[in-house]
């Protein structure tokens, strides 16, 4: 997962998304940011009140809306002059929301962003069906607006989202997922949708395929950096800020990059993890004890380095595009994702 590419001149890391969005040059993005969420709610009427209620429940829980931000910044960077980027951005967030509903049912999740998951509130059936509806509506929106190529590119993205979940399920119960399987999981479950969000901006603007692929490569590496950073936050982040709780991935038995690297450095961690996962009533080390072993192993620092390398490659993919405030904002978003604490 290493192999750094040349990067632009270093800039100071931004404090957070608010810091980024407050810049005067990015005023169009602030307006987009607000309109996208309204568009999501406006596009989910189904003749049944339960659909918008469940979707609003997730939206009102918060979230950074990183995927719409990536798409809108990319659309402005390539000088797209219309307003359909708002539609595409809303579709990206709808697809992401669908995966969250499904993930929480599969994982038997209890909380998300600090509140009970939809499956705890409505049971399993409703979130699964609402997630299915969001997938279908995403394609309907693209086809109804004649964005056929964008819809065509979305199809393998949704396939990847499902593939990633199936690979993760196939390794459930194993103390540690092999590194190659982990790479494929995060490529499918996270990087694929970021890639689509970025490349679809190029398709809207009618860019040549070479530039569309540059945007796809940006989204791919940004998504990998984002997911690895998120995995690191399970060990080093503020549980109150992340909304998922420190060590929650570890407590749920999910293998992430810090754990994989820690076991490589100290095989005893793997044996302790296997003992903890047995669940047969035998004495088991608590998740915080295992987490302390991961922290002491140096795996967190190595994971951050790998995330940084992907962020550098994401930045490098943007170098063919003209300089300006929107490209600069995407560069800063890369730096933010590997330095965030929440």
């Amino acid at each position: 997962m290493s192999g750094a590419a040349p990067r632009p001149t270093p800039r100071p890391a931004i404090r957070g998304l608010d810091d980024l969005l407050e810049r005067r040059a990015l005023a169009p993005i602030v307006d987009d940011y607000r309109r996208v969420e309204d568009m999501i709610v406006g596009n989910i009427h189904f003749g049944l009140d339960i659909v918008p209620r469940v979707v609003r429940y997730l939206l009102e829980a918060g979230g950074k809306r990183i995927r719409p931000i990536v798409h809108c910044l990319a659309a402005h960077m390539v000088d797209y002059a219309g307003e359909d980027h708002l539609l595409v951005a809303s579709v990206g967030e709808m697809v992401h929301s669908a995966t969250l509903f499904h993930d929480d049912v599969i994982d038997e999740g209890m909380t998300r962003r600090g509140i009970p998951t939809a499956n705890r509130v409505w049971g399993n059936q409703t979130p699964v069906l609402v997630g299915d509806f969001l997938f279908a509506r995403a394609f309907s929106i693209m086809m109804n607006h004649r964005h056929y190529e964008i819809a065509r590119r979305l199809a393998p993205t949704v396939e990847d989202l499902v593939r990633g979940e199936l690979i993760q399920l196939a390794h459930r119960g194993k103390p540690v997922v092999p590194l190659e399987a982990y790479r494929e999981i995060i490529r499918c479950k996270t990087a694929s949708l970021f890639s689509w969000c970025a490349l679809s901006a190029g398709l809207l603007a009618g860019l040549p395929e070479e530039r569309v692929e540059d945007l796809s490569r940006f989204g791919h590496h940004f998504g990998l950096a984002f997911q690895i950073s998120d995995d690191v936050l399970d060990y080093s982040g503020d549980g109150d800020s992340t909304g998922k709780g420190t060590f929650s991935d570890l407590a749920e038995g999910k293998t992430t990059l810090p754990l994989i690297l820690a076991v490589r450095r100290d095989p005893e961690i793997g044996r302790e993890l296997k003992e903890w996962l047995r669940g047969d009533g035998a004495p088991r080390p608590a998740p915080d004890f295992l987490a302390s072993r991961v922290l002491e192993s140096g795996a967190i620092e190595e994971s951050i380095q790998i995330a940084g390398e992907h962020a550098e490659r994401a930045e490098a993919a943007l170098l063919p595009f003209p300089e300006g405030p929107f490209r600069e904002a995407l560069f800063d978003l890369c730096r933010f994702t590997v330095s965030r604490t929440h």
Side-chain angles (χ1 to χ4, degrees), residues 217-258:
R217 188 163 56 255
F218 161 77
H220 170 79
H221 287 291
F222 176 82
L224 295 177
F226 183 88
Q227 186 58 59
I228 294 170
S229 297
D230 200 60
D231 292 346
V232 167
L233 286 177
D234 196 52
Y235 293 90
S236 60
D238 177 354
D240 292 333
S241 298
T242 62
K244 68 177 189 176
T246 306
F247 312 148
S248 64
D249 288 340
L250 181 60
E252 293 170 9
K254 292 181 181 178
T255 301
T256 56
L257 185 60

Side-chain angles (χ1 to χ4, degrees), residues 184-229:
E184 184 66 358
I185 289 168
I186 67 170
R187 181 195 71 79
C188 289
K189 292 190 63 175
T190 303
S192 64
L193 186 54
F194 274 114
S195 178
W196 179 84
C197 287
L199 73 84
S200 57
L203 293 175
L204 278 178
L207 297 187
E209 185 62 24
E210 183 181 5
R211 294 288 80 84
V212 172
E213 289 306 311
D214 286 333
L215 289 170
S216 176
R217 188 163 56 255
F218 161 77
H220 170 79
H221 287 291
F222 176 82
L224 295 177
F226 183 88
Q227 186 58 59
I228 294 170
S229 297

